[in-house]
Amino acid sequence: SDGSIRLHQMSSEFPLMQWNDSTKGQPVIALQWALTRPAVFFALDASSNIYIWDLLENDLLPVAKQTIPSEKVVTMTLLGEPEKANGLLGIVLAKESGEIDIQYVKKKWALP
């Protein structure tokens, strides 16, 4: 609820990494690992901002931020085929109106 993100290992109650105020205080409402690239995850905050983290490129800050300006996004999920090396990765956004939007991610964040 405060914008913090914590990375845990299942065998410990203490986080391996913690990013405080990662969304400038906005609650994180969805977070998911990339299906095709294990070091990448996406976070959606309550202000409809999507943050892309690539831990191999930068483990301190997100590598990109995308604001969805048209309408409030209430949740997101990712789609892709992890067993294929084509690097196709999409973000499915559910908007407050009930509209679904699918956007594809740049190859540099999707390729295995």
Side-chain angles (χ1 to χ4, degrees), residues 3 7-8 10 16 18 33 38 41-42 45 49 55 65-66 79-80 83 86 91 93 105 107:
L7 175 65
H8 283 267
M10 296 297 287
L16 295 172
Q18 181 169 326
W33 287 100
F41 67 89
F42 297 80
D45 74 13
N49 296 303
L55 300 179
K65 175 185 170 187
Q66 178 68 48
L79 58 88
E83 64 278 354
N86 62 6
I91 302 176
L93 305 170
V105 175
K107 293 268 187 197

Side-chain angles (χ1 to χ4, degrees), residues 75 87 104:
T75 194
Y104 289 95

